[in-house]
Amino acid sequence: MSTIKLKKKIIYSGKIELLTGLHIGGTNAALNIGGPDKFVVRNPINNIPYIPGSSLKGKMRALVELAYGETNNGKPTNDVNTRAGALFGTSGDNESSHPSRIIVRDAELDVDSCNFENTDLPYTESKTEVAIDRVTSEAKPRTFERVPAGAKFNFSIVLNIFEGENEEELRHTFDKARELLEDDYLGGNGSRGYGQVKFIEIKEETKTY
């Protein structure tokens, strides 16, 4: 039976700054007449928006796969020998599965990062768009809830390094994922200007074992 030993944890922390409004959809739990059609995800305890770790990790993985051509007809290859597989993990049976080497926490909104007093919803804005039916020319207005540009979220991401692994390559892949995300978008409606972000105030803490 082969065993692997944890060598170190590299803990990245900092802020995700919104350069444009961000919409990561939540559950429309209640009918809100006159309000947005699409709500953002919020902490149900304090009603504060957050970025789910699953959304952040999934987007970074997808961008890494595209950047290095690690897809098969647009689908992930699920191969541990790829950069994405080595960092983000693969699924499969006990022999072929490779647990993720990265832990992405939910990113909480820094409520002091900007002035939310003038937003029409708690910590968010409502943005109305009009979709035009190309056949009938009928206008169909819809309203999205967004966290406004200028807001910042506190992020924490842990990179696990095990003995015998290529730490430099794992670090490089993670750095590349952040860079790709800054040049792309997070959340929904990115092709219409939503979700441009920037990682700032990045700190590293290393814990050895």
Side-chain angles (χ1 to χ4, degrees):
M1 178 179 177
S2 61
T3 59
I4 56 175
K5 182 180 178 182
L6 180 65
K7 181 180 178 182
K8 67 174 69 171
K9 286 180 177 284
I10 305 169
I11 303 171
Y12 298 88
S13 61
K15 296 183 183 296
I16 298 173
E17 180 181 13
L18 304 188
L19 303 183
T20 61
L22 174 71
H23 175 84
I24 295 182
T27 302
N28 293 2
L31 179 64
N32 184 15
I33 298 175
D37 304 301
K38 303 293 184 180
F39 293 89
V40 301
V41 62
R42 293 175 179 264
N43 183 323
I45 304 300
N46 56 24
N47 203 37
I48 296 176
Y50 68 96
I51 298 174
S54 57
S55 298
L56 186 54
K57 181 181 179 183
K59 182 67 178 189
M60 288 194 297
R61 176 175 191 144
L63 291 172
V64 168
E65 289 170 340
L66 288 173
Y68 291 106
E70 297 173 351
T71 62
N72 183 11
N73 293 325
K75 298 181 179 180
T77 61
N78 198 37
D79 185 352
V80 69
N81 296 312
T82 62
R83 289 180 179 268
L87 180 63
F88 296 101
T90 62
S91 60
D93 56 34
N94 292 333
E95 294 182 358
S96 62
S97 63
H98 177 75
S100 176
R101 294 302 188 252
I102 196 170
I103 301 169
V104 184
R105 314 284 191 197
D106 290 346
E108 299 180 350
L109 176 67
D110 181 352
V111 297
D112 297 320
S113 60
C114 67
N115 184 4
F116 293 102
E117 293 182 0
N118 296 324
T119 57
D120 47 350
L121 296 166
Y123 306 108
T124 62
E125 63 181 355
S126 56
K127 183 175 185 295
T128 300
E129 301 179 353
V130 178
I132 305 298
D133 190 302
R134 290 187 175 88
V135 177
T136 65
S137 297
E138 179 185 3
K140 298 179 179 180
R142 54 191 177 185
T143 303
F144 291 87
E145 183 182 19
R146 310 194 311 177
V147 182
K152 299 179 179 68
F153 291 80
N154 299 313
F155 78 85
S156 177
I157 299 176
V158 181
L159 175 59
N160 290 315
I161 306 295
F162 290 84
E163 288 187 345
E165 293 186 331
N166 190 331
E167 177 180 341
E168 182 178 353
E169 183 174 290
L170 290 172
R171 279 176 171 266
H172 176 77
T173 302
F174 174 60
D175 291 340
K176 187 68 173 179
R178 292 203 317 266
E179 177 187 345
L180 289 165
L181 182 54
E182 290 183 341
D183 292 335
D184 204 90
Y185 65 90
L186 183 62
N189 307 323
S191 64
R192 298 200 297 275
Y194 292 42
Q196 184 182 5
V197 302
K198 185 176 181 63
F199 290 86
I200 63 173
E201 301 177 25
I202 301 173
K203 299 178 182 178
E204 287 186 29
E205 179 187 1
T206 299
K207 295 183 177 180
T208 57
Y209 299 90

